Amino acid sequence: YDSVIGRAARLAIELAVDDVNADRTVLAATRLSLVAQDTNCSGFLGTIEALELMEKNVVAVIGPQSSGIGHVISHVVNELHVPLLSFAATDPTLSASEYPYFIRTTMSDYFQMNAVASIVDYYQWKEVTAIFADDDYGRGGVSALGDALATRRAKISHKAAIPPNSNTEVINDVLFRANMMESRVMVVHANPDTGMRIFSVANKLQMMASGYVWIVTDWLAAVLDSSASRDLKGMSHIQGLVVLRQHTPESDAKDKFTTKWNNAARSRGINSGLNSYGFYAYDSVWAVARGIDQFLDNGQQVNFSADPRLHRSKDSTLQLSTLKVFDGGEQMLQQLLLTNFTGLTGLVQFGPDRNLVRPAYDILNVGGSGSRLIGYWSNYSGLSVAAPETLYQKPSNASSVAQRLYNVVWPGDSTTTPKGWVFPNNGQPLRVGVPIKASFKELVAGGRGSDNVTGYCIDIFNAAIRLLPYPVPCQFITIGDGKKNPNYDDIISMVADNVCSISFFLPVYVFNHFVISPLICFIFTSPLMQL
Ligand SMILES: *[C@@H]1O[C@H](CO)[C@@H](O)[C@H](O)[C@H]1NC(C)=O
Ligand SMILES: *[C@@H]1O[C@H](CO)[C@@H](O)[C@H](O)[C@H]1NC(C)=O
Ligand SMILES: *[C@@H]1O[C@H](CO)[C@@H](O)[C@H](O)[C@H]1NC(C)=O
Ligand SMILES: *[C@@H]1O[C@H](CO)[C@@H](O)[C@H](O)[C@H]1NC(C)=O
Ligand SMILES: *[C@@H]1O[C@H](CO)[C@@H](O)[C@H](O)[C@H]1NC(C)=O
Ligand SMILES: *[C@@H]1O[C@H](CO)[C@@H](O)[C@H](O)[C@H]1NC(C)=O
């Protein structure tokens, strides 16, 4: 209960149960009653409490909040045929194919990571560092991120895993190591209750400065939406971040609910605000209520029967035989999958892959004491500055020219898009292959021994390198002995095998006895070489 998501969701669920019971059109003759359990984010308590809950002959479970506990409880509900509606377990590896009774009533991080990858691709970055909570939720998300980046020819070049319950020193070590790497695009997928510490440590390491890119998943939006009193000191650490948030369309119902939630929170002394997980929790209760309503309307009865595998064991005082299988579980599950209504989160309907239809995210840019909406991502059309619900009527246009976001103010109050990488402190210099030919010595000449190369092409190259706004350490590697022209196939394989980072390649066109143009071509394979 005492977590960023829990505080928002618990009250939202209670308000939803009240609303269902006050509504004469749904479950008119039946009272929906809520049995609440606090797992306190512990897998152990979560397991025990799920079993205790099952003793009470429940027909549906809403929750749990954490993906880790979701994995455990899914085994229980699967065997007892009780549908589990999870409004906050976003780990994409929690799948309906493994756990048929698991229904996700929020968006899977599969979509969120595709949104992150679209942003990375939009700014043409090629490598990112993933900073994540080293638990089911974090690993599941980062694995989806890797897949999503791969489809856009980008990748995670460094994984910075932060073990659960890490202290500041551990976080410091993890970030310090990440900072030694070349990528300056950080994707942070952490937990709302502990994630903010990452930024204060990063700030001390001067990683919240210009040149860095921080893309943060929806957990940070939940924290920002929930912090009733915006703490300006905390905000100063997170200027320039790009943050995702589940997109829920604007509606009167949503505004009314927000007011109601705020009033209820004030009267109960809850000193924290609502976030989008509250909306999903609210809609989950309505989905269950409508499902049960249909189930009863269809003439089904709520019966439970004993599970022969859970016979009473003489050696144990645990009353496992009191766990019963919900006979109508299969029908209830099918009924829930037919859910089709408009809730606070928009259209609540499940596609053939059992995900909520129309997954979409808001993209925010943190600045000053708040954040600015710079666009949206939808599974339908990718990045856009128009709200997703206005796009569904038009044909989908996910082509790269149609992608658009408003301008971002990056960390360090910079409006120039960071190039996303640096030459790493501990990295190798740029190794430049120089083919030494038998002729055209004025273009390139060199003796044995690297760095002893001269000529027109080398002068141009050095001049170009000096023009770059950042230092590029170079090392020349001569190819060939100057007596026989080197074989171009060999040069290409030296680059492919990473003996050289790039290589000169000198096709010289001779036309009417004049050398027309000493064309300098470079061959590159390393994604870093976007000079
Ligand atoms: C919840 O867990 C934390 C440690 O993770 C503990 O300090 C706290 O007392 C627990 N709260 C309850 C209500 O059990
Ligand atoms: C469910 O239980 C009722 C009695 O409570 C019984 O009449 C009915 O036959 C049972 N239905 C099924 C499908 O077992
Ligand atoms: C959902 O309900 C609307 C009417 O409320 C209906 O027009 C639509 O066809 C339904 N969709 C599905 C998939 O059943
Ligand atoms: C997301 O988009 C893909 C590709 O366009 C599509 O196959 C899939 O059904 C969509 N998923 C949802 C939940 O809309
Ligand atoms: C997609 O949008 C781009 C730019 O707005 C436009 O040039 C292109 O024709 C559109 N494609 C389709 C299929 O609508
Ligand atoms: C560098 O190359 C020149 C000729 O190109 C040669 O005279 C000189 O000895 C070389 N120096 C070294 C250190 O290899």
Side-chain angles (χ1 to χ4, degrees):
Y1 294 152
D2 191 20
S3 65
V4 170
I5 296 176
R7 283 186 292 264
R10 186 186 183 189
L11 184 51
I13 289 174
E14 288 173 14
L15 293 174
V17 170
D18 292 348
D19 287 353
V20 167
N21 285 329
D23 190 314
R24 297 277 106 220
T25 61
V26 174
L27 289 177
T30 307
R31 214 185 107 73
L32 189 66
S33 82
L34 179 71
V35 183
Q37 302 264 19
D38 185 7
T39 67
N40 197 21
C41 293
S42 145
F44 174 67
L45 286 184
T47 311
I48 304 289
E49 286 171 1
L51 294 175
E52 285 176 358
L53 196 60
M54 292 302 162
E55 281 183 347
K56 296 177 182 149
N57 288 352
V58 297
V59 296
V61 183
I62 294 176
Q65 204 193 107
S66 115
S67 296
I69 303 176
H71 277 281
V72 177
I73 296 184
S74 290
H75 285 289
V76 178
V77 296
N78 235 12
E79 297 304 321
L80 301 181
H81 297 183
V82 176
L84 174 75
L85 287 84
S86 184
F87 61 89
T90 54
D91 175 6
T93 67
L94 267 170
S95 73
S97 52
E98 186 176 5
Y99 306 112
Y101 283 82
F102 174 81
I103 304 177
R104 195 188 328 261
T105 50
T106 186
M107 284 178 272
S108 161
D109 282 336
Y110 168 82
F111 297 106
Q112 172 154 242
M113 293 308 173
N114 270 279
V116 171
S118 294
I119 297 172
V120 169
D121 188 43
Y122 179 72
Y123 292 108
Q124 301 182 352
W125 298 312
K126 292 294 169 204
E127 297 190 356
V128 308
T129 292
I131 300 172
F132 59 102
D134 198 2
D135 56 15
D136 285 330
Y137 151 84
R139 285 189 297 266
V142 164
S143 148
L145 175 63
D147 295 346
L149 287 171
T151 64
R152 293 159 176 91
R153 292 167 192 259
K155 66 172 184 189
I156 301 174
S157 55
H158 178 65
K159 288 188 185 173
I162 300 181
N165 308 321
S166 288
N167 59 22
T168 311
E169 261 163 66
V170 175
I171 298 177
N172 191 78
D173 288 351
V174 171
L175 292 187
F176 187 80
R177 238 174 295 134
N179 204 24
M180 303 278 278
M181 307 295 164
E182 56 208 32
S183 171
R184 283 293 175 263
V185 182
M186 313 286 169
V187 176
V188 187
H189 188 52
N191 181 307
D193 296 293
T194 51
M196 289 304 277
R197 290 187 303 166
I198 293 171
F199 302 119
S200 54
V201 173
N203 189 50
K204 287 210 185 76
L205 292 171
Q206 299 184 340
M207 291 171 73
M208 307 306 288
S210 94
Y212 288 84
V213 174
W214 291 83
I215 302 174
V216 189
T217 55
D218 64 69
W219 65 270
L220 182 63
V223 174
L224 295 179
D225 288 342
S226 291
S227 43
S229 55
R230 292 276 162 87
D231 165 15
L232 263 179
K233 195 171 154 290
M235 292 296 286
S236 73
H237 293 162
I238 58 170
Q239 298 293 306
L241 270 57
V242 172
V243 184
L244 279 80
R245 177 174 65 196
Q246 294 98 332
H247 173 73
T248 55
E250 294 309 317
S251 68
D252 286 348
K254 197 170 117 178
D255 293 344
K256 265 197 210 132
F257 172 75
T258 306
T259 311
K260 196 168 173 182
W261 191 99
N262 286 332
N263 291 340
R266 205 169 309 120
S267 67
R268 293 180 200 201
I270 298 173
N271 184 27
S272 124
L274 178 60
N275 55 52
S276 53
Y277 284 100
F279 301 132
Y280 286 100
Y282 182 89
D283 281 354
S284 304
V285 174
W286 274 97
V288 168
R290 288 170 199 269
I292 300 174
D293 192 43
Q294 279 299 314
F295 177 84
L296 296 177
D297 270 6
N298 293 350
Q300 309 272 356
Q301 274 159 329
V302 177
N303 285 4
F304 294 87
S305 54
D307 185 337
R309 289 170 301 173
L310 296 173
H311 57 83
R312 185 182 296 253
S313 158
K314 282 193 287 301
D315 305 331
S316 164
T317 51
L318 292 174
Q319 303 282 312
L320 290 181
S321 55
T322 56
L323 297 177
K324 300 267 168 31
V325 177
F326 177 22
D327 295 335
E330 173 65 27
Q331 287 84 346
M332 178 66 91
L333 177 68
Q334 294 311 326
Q335 200 59 61
L336 287 167
L337 291 174
L338 293 176
T339 299
N340 175 17
F341 70 98
T342 302
L344 302 181
T345 58
L347 188 58
V348 183
Q349 197 179 307
F350 300 99
D353 56 354
R354 291 233 202 153
N355 280 306
L356 283 176
V357 294
R358 300 183 171 180
Y361 288 85
D362 296 339
I363 302 169
L364 310 169
N365 182 207
V366 179
S369 62
S371 60
R372 199 169 57 93
L373 188 68
I374 54 161
Y376 305 91
W377 177 90
S378 64
N379 186 48
Y380 189 68
S381 282
L383 302 173
S384 67
V385 292
E389 32 312 341
T390 63
L391 300 173
Y392 296 125
Q393 284 89 42
K394 301 179 197 157
S396 161
N397 191 346
S399 69
S400 56
V401 281
Q403 306 292 298
R404 208 181 143 217
L405 291 177
Y406 288 123
N407 291 338
V408 175
V409 179
W410 303 101
D413 214 18
S414 156
T415 48
T416 330
T417 303
K419 68 182 164 32
W421 58 272
V422 288
F423 280 94
N425 293 337
N426 58 349
Q428 283 187 310
L430 184 67
R431 284 151 298 134
V432 186
V434 183
I436 306 299
K437 301 177 69 155
S439 50
F440 298 113
K441 293 285 186 198
E442 50 283 90
L443 298 182
V444 169
R448 274 184 292 137
S450 50
D451 289 339
N452 189 14
V453 290
T454 52
Y456 177 73
C457 295
I458 304 295
D459 292 346
I460 290 185
F461 178 81
N462 283 331
I465 288 283
R466 276 195 299 275
L467 278 178
L468 293 172
Y470 38 86
V472 179
C474 293
Q475 178 196 350
F476 292 109
I477 297 173
T478 52
I479 305 170
D481 53 9
K483 298 195 179 80
K484 203 168 132 261
N485 285 347
N487 181 328
Y488 283 165
D489 290 346
D490 294 345
I491 302 177
I492 292 172
S493 36
M494 282 178 80
V495 176
D497 296 344
N498 204 21
V499 179
C500 308
S501 336
I502 64 176
S503 178
F504 279 89
F505 196 68
L506 297 167
V508 176
Y509 296 96
V510 182
F511 180 71
N512 278 354
H513 306 292
F514 291 101
V515 176
I516 293 195
S517 152
L519 278 179
I520 307 179
C521 298
F522 290 97
I523 309 169
F524 3 173
T525 56
S526 164
L528 264 186
M529 294 307 126
Q530 300 162 327
L531 298 178

